[in-house]
Amino acid sequence: MASEDITKLAESLAKTQVGGGQLSFKGQSLKLNTAEDAEEVIKQIEEFDGLEALRLEGNTVGVEAAKVIAKALEKKSELKRCHWSDMFTGRLRSEIPPALISLGDALITAGAQLVELDLSDNAFGPDGVRGFEALLKSPVCYTLQELKLNNCGMGIGGGKILAAALKECHRKSSAQGKPLALKVFVAGRNRLENDGATALAEAFGIIGTLEEVHMPQNGINHPGITALAQAFAINPLLKVINLNDNTFTEKGAMAMAETLKALRQIEVINFGDCLVRSKGAVAIADAIKEGLHKLKELNLSFCEIKRDAALTVAEVIEDKAELEKLDLNGNCLGEEGCEQLQEILEGFNMAAVLGSLSDDEGEEEEEDEEEEDEEEEEEEEQEQLKEIGQGEQESLTPKKIIDSQDSTPVPSPPVDIATFLAFPSPEKLLRLGPKCSVMIAQQTDTADVEKVVSTLLRISSVFKDEAPVKTAVHETTDALMRKAFTSATFNSDAFITSLLIHMGLLKSEEKIKAVPSLYGILMTLNHMVQQDYFPKSLAPVLSAFVTKPNRALDSCSFARHMLLQTLHQL
């Protein structure tokens, strides 16, 4: 290490905060690649007697540096809190698991008993969960009370690994007479979806001691929400439920409302942007009316709730003396409905708890959207039945299927290219068979830029971290885009412009509805830009727009990080 680098590191470490058993390197932007880079950090750790909390947030730790830091931690048996969020900035995804394994093994060797483990904002993906799986199963985590894994890109696979590790930890700790008593669980922005959420729900039901659960922006629909609701019902100490920006619909909202009736300690309910809709809101209001006297915050914003349902919600908070905030913004009350809502709360002398209504969508008269939602749910259930396939999850199979005595396998209906592109799903793509990539490319007119963009978005919308689906998406994308980019008539600039518009990253004079989620297309682009057919001249344009602040990108921060990292390396 150059002398000027050592001087800079020493100056940075001089800002290290020490106190209350805590050693903090938080936010010092240390670049710890080698053992030499980490010498001063190691010295601080080794000389700290009674180390109970170590903060490494806002730095970047490489594999070699992690090994020597781990060596220093092997003698720190009193360590209780590991604040290790945002600790691998700029690292390759493959570097993170071995670094986590080294640090975890050190804690096991030390015989530490953790109370808090925070690995948030580390883009380690499903493989990264393997990096601390052994730690979670070890005696180090038998005492764990807070587990924070926000914005890690775990995906369905990572969620399942995590759930299994938590169940194993509970089993082992229970055998020793001190069962795991986890209180706080944070895993927002992880694309857990239904399968990941359902796996974790099973673990929550076994643990039974949760007080706070934060799982916003995970692409969870009503089957996953229902599984979580059932698990929450057997966690009677729950105070905070944050499921913001998932998709309840009526079925999920009804299940959650039933659970709320059984919980008596609830202080915060955040179901904002969850599409609970009017019937769901009324059901939740009924649950609140029956109890929840400790309720401090209720967020049902941007849920497509209409006037009468919103007024019902307002009416049930009359006796909630501890309520500090009611958020019903972004719903469909209309000007008159907003005034009525304010009047009701003024009558309770609770006008101050009502949040802004500036984004109210106006009163709607049509019921079409709710009918469409019910049809979508029916279609979703049919897809799930097909994916369940051979009875691997019999508990989720509808009774009418169970009651059937015919054991003859029912053949899946045939799928063609048109059907897949009209109603894309992972299952349909796989059923198209190994030649699907060639067939889709052949049937797409690559002279038509809009047609290519539309087809690419539909293919990428079914992206999953599961190997068969990921491979099928990549192969189909490669066949389509290789054909397009190698065609003399294909306009690459027009393509990237149109794609950015459809992603909601570039404004257009025409009204074009952006895709509902950018996760699939971002992960697909991460693959595309690494292929020889992708024009490198488009990389700076793509990087510029993906870098800009955008709410849609914020909800897919792991995929965004992966793409930007790849673009930076080109």
Side-chain angles (χ1 to χ4, degrees):
M1 180 184 287
S3 59
E4 58 268 24
D5 292 333
I6 295 174
T7 301
K8 185 177 179 181
L9 178 59
E11 290 174 353
S12 182
L13 289 170
K15 302 174 184 177
T16 301
Q17 299 175 13
V18 177
Q22 173 175 285
L23 177 60
S24 176
F25 300 96
K26 181 178 179 180
Q28 294 185 20
S29 301
L30 303 176
K31 295 180 180 179
L32 307 178
N33 299 316
T34 66
E36 186 181 4
D37 294 341
E39 283 179 358
E40 288 294 329
V41 173
I42 294 165
K43 183 181 177 182
Q44 296 261 7
I45 293 173
E46 289 177 339
E47 293 178 354
F48 197 110
D49 292 330
L51 180 63
E52 294 185 5
L54 178 61
R55 308 196 77 106
L56 292 173
E57 311 104 304
N59 300 291
T60 178
V61 182
V63 176
E64 187 180 339
K67 287 181 180 178
V68 292
I69 292 173
K71 193 70 178 174
L73 290 175
E74 287 181 357
K75 298 178 181 179
K76 300 299 175 181
S77 60
E78 297 178 12
L79 189 62
K80 292 181 174 61
R81 298 183 183 275
C82 295
H83 302 280
W84 295 350
S85 64
D86 190 19
M87 199 173 77
F88 300 106
T89 303
R91 298 290 168 185
L92 294 175
R93 186 165 159 181
S94 59
E95 292 181 85
I96 302 176
L100 289 173
I101 289 171
S102 296
L103 294 167
D105 287 349
L107 299 182
I108 294 172
T109 300
Q113 292 186 312
L114 291 186
V115 172
E116 179 179 359
L117 177 60
D118 186 355
L119 293 171
S120 299
D121 300 315
N122 290 312
F124 47 61
D127 296 338
V129 185
R130 293 287 188 196
F132 59 94
E133 180 184 15
L135 176 65
L136 280 180
K137 293 178 179 180
S138 76
V140 175
C141 289
Y142 290 178
T143 51
L144 196 64
Q145 295 180 15
E146 300 182 30
L147 179 58
K148 300 174 181 177
L149 299 166
N150 200 57
N151 190 29
C152 293
M154 290 189 289
I156 294 171
K160 289 181 177 180
I161 296 168
L162 176 61
L166 288 173
K167 289 191 288 185
E168 182 70 1
C169 180
H170 187 273
R171 185 187 68 78
K172 288 182 175 179
S173 58
S174 297
Q176 293 194 5
K178 294 182 179 180
L180 172 67
L182 192 66
K183 294 181 180 180
V184 178
F185 180 83
V186 181
R189 296 184 178 181
N190 271 292
R191 296 302 305 176
L192 295 169
E193 301 184 18
N194 289 333
D195 290 349
T198 300
L200 285 167
E202 186 177 340
F204 296 162
I206 292 170
I207 294 169
T209 56
L210 289 167
E211 295 180 13
E212 295 186 24
V213 176
H214 302 264
M215 295 174 66
Q217 296 183 355
N218 269 298
I220 308 171
N221 298 324
H222 74 83
I225 295 297
T226 299
L228 288 171
Q230 292 169 349
F232 292 165
I234 45 182
N235 280 266
L237 302 178
L238 265 175
K239 296 178 182 178
V240 178
I241 302 177
N242 177 6
L243 294 174
N244 190 284
D245 200 6
N246 289 292
T247 307
F248 283 39
T249 61
E250 183 182 335
K251 291 184 178 181
M254 292 293 188
M256 198 60 70
E258 283 301 309
T259 286
L260 291 175
K261 293 177 182 178
L263 300 175
R264 290 291 176 264
Q265 305 301 320
I266 289 291
E267 296 178 3
V268 177
I269 298 173
N270 187 345
F271 297 159
D273 208 6
C274 282
L275 209 66
V276 303
R277 294 210 164 130
S278 295
K279 290 181 180 178
V282 171
I284 291 169
D286 288 342
I288 293 171
K289 185 176 182 180
E290 292 185 19
L292 304 190
H293 295 292
K294 296 183 179 181
L295 188 64
K296 294 180 179 179
E297 181 178 335
L298 175 61
N299 185 347
L300 293 175
S301 61
F302 298 93
C303 281
E304 295 191 6
I305 300 170
K306 297 184 180 177
R307 180 180 62 177
D308 291 347
L311 298 181
T312 299
V313 171
E315 288 167 354
V316 301
I317 67 168
E318 180 179 6
D319 61 343
K320 310 306 173 192
E322 296 188 31
L323 191 71
E324 299 171 359
K325 183 178 180 181
L326 172 63
D327 193 345
L328 289 169
N329 197 19
N331 287 299
C332 310
L333 281 66
E335 185 176 346
E336 183 179 347
C338 290
E339 291 175 358
Q340 290 177 317
L341 181 63
Q342 291 167 334
E343 288 173 3
I344 289 173
L345 294 174
E346 286 172 1
F348 300 155
N349 198 27
M350 297 177 72
V353 307
L354 182 62
S356 170
L357 297 173
S358 60
D359 292 321
D360 186 73
E361 295 288 341
E363 193 167 8
E364 293 184 1
E365 297 178 1
E366 303 268 342
E367 296 293 333
D368 293 347
E369 290 189 9
E370 292 195 18
E371 291 174 6
E372 286 176 9
D373 184 60
E374 290 175 5
E375 290 173 3
E376 288 172 6
E377 289 184 14
E378 291 297 326
E379 184 176 334
E380 184 181 21
E381 285 181 0
Q382 293 302 317
E383 291 293 342
Q384 286 175 345
L385 287 178
K386 294 172 189 173
E387 290 176 10
I388 289 169
Q390 302 173 7
E392 292 177 353
Q393 301 182 39
E394 292 180 4
S395 61
L396 298 178
T397 308
K399 290 182 179 179
K400 57 186 176 184
I401 301 297
I402 295 175
D403 292 340
S404 173
Q405 301 300 312
D406 185 4
S407 59
T408 304
V410 179
S412 298
V415 174
D416 56 21
I417 301 297
T419 302
F420 166 72
L421 292 176
F423 304 101
S425 73
E427 185 263 350
K428 288 193 184 85
L429 181 61
L430 294 177
R431 276 169 49 204
L432 282 172
K435 295 183 179 180
C436 69
S437 58
V438 177
M439 291 190 294
I440 289 178
Q442 287 177 343
Q443 293 187 29
T444 304
D445 180 7
T446 53
D448 185 341
V449 167
E450 287 299 319
K451 191 72 173 177
V452 174
V453 170
S454 175
T455 303
L456 174 62
L457 289 171
R458 289 178 181 276
I459 295 167
S460 64
S461 70
V462 306
F463 179 90
K464 284 189 174 184
D465 286 315
E466 297 167 5
V469 178
K470 182 193 292 187
T471 300
V473 170
H474 286 174
E475 290 178 351
T476 309
T477 298
D478 288 343
L480 172 68
M481 298 314 302
R482 187 180 299 279
K483 177 186 175 185
F485 284 126
T486 55
S487 170
T489 58
F490 187 69
N491 188 328
S492 298
D493 292 335
F495 164 78
I496 199 70
T497 300
S498 176
L499 181 61
L500 290 169
I501 289 172
H502 283 276
M503 291 173 68
L505 305 183
L506 181 62
K507 291 183 179 179
S508 170
E509 294 180 1
E510 300 177 14
K511 285 189 176 181
I512 295 178
K513 188 176 181 181
V515 293
S517 171
L518 295 181
Y519 180 77
I521 185 60
L522 289 172
M523 294 301 286
T524 303
L525 282 169
N526 185 51
H527 168 80
M528 269 178 58
V529 299
Q530 300 177 64
Q531 308 310 309
D532 57 5
Y533 60 74
F534 185 81
K536 296 299 182 279
S537 61
L538 299 183
V541 179
L542 189 57
S543 180
F545 281 92
V546 176
T547 303
K548 286 183 179 180
N550 187 290
R551 185 181 177 187
L553 287 169
D554 289 343
S555 64
C556 304
S557 52
F558 168 73
R560 179 191 202 178
H561 171 81
M562 293 292 293
L563 176 56
L564 287 174
Q565 188 177 55
T566 301
L567 288 168
H568 180 71
Q569 293 170 357
L570 290 177

